[in-house]
């Protein structure tokens, strides 16, 4: 399980780095294994809390459970189960990309 978590986590981080951008905002991705966070800040450096909360809400309507995390609630937290597939991760990132555009 640790090896699977590491491999899928690396895949998720790679997907997020190549597929996710938020116009007018800075994005930082970090994580370990399948515990990954996507921090979003405004161009001014202030936390994009409202954007993250709306994105989490929209993703829930699409069937994906993500959580707002961090001191300011501007980090989208990914903590999928270890049985998740690459296809499911890719579908989630594609949906998140749509939501954040």
């Amino acid at each position: 399980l640790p090896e699977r978590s590491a491999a899928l986590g690396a895949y998720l981080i790679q997907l997020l780095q190549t597929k996710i951008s938020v116009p007018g905002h800075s994005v930082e991705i970090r994580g370990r294994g399948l515990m990954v966070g996507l921090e979003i800040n405004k161009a001014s450096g202030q936390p994009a809390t409202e954007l993250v909360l709306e994105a989490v809400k929209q993703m829930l309507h699409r069937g994906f459970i993500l959580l707002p995390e961090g001191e300011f609630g501007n980090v989208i937290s990914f903590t999928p189960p270890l049985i998740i597939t690459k296809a499911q991760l890719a579908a989630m990132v594609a949906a998140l990309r749509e939501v954040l555009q």
Side-chain angles (χ1 to χ4, degrees):
L1 290 179
E3 291 83 17
R4 178 172 173 75
S5 176
L8 287 174
Y11 177 74
L12 175 57
I13 289 172
Q14 184 265 335
L15 278 177
L16 291 170
Q17 289 173 337
T18 59
K19 304 287 184 186
I20 300 295
S21 64
V22 184
H25 294 77
S26 65
V27 175
E28 181 183 333
I29 302 160
R30 58 186 175 272
R32 185 169 182 98
L34 276 171
M35 295 175 54
V36 176
L38 174 76
E39 182 177 355
I40 304 176
N41 290 302
K42 299 175 184 176
S44 64
Q46 294 180 317
T49 304
E50 299 83 16
L51 175 70
V52 166
L53 293 176
E54 183 60 28
V56 166
K57 180 179 172 182
Q58 292 297 318
M59 290 297 286
L60 184 58
H61 288 295
R62 292 173 181 235
F64 299 98
I65 300 172
L66 303 176
L67 298 172
E69 298 286 347
E71 181 179 357
F72 303 105
N74 65 319
V75 178
I76 298 174
S77 172
F78 306 89
T79 54
L82 292 174
I83 60 170
I84 197 162
T85 65
K86 285 186 175 183
Q88 290 169 324
L89 288 172
M92 183 271 306
V93 171
L96 183 60
R97 180 179 181 167
E98 289 178 13
V99 166
L100 291 174
Q101 296 303 314

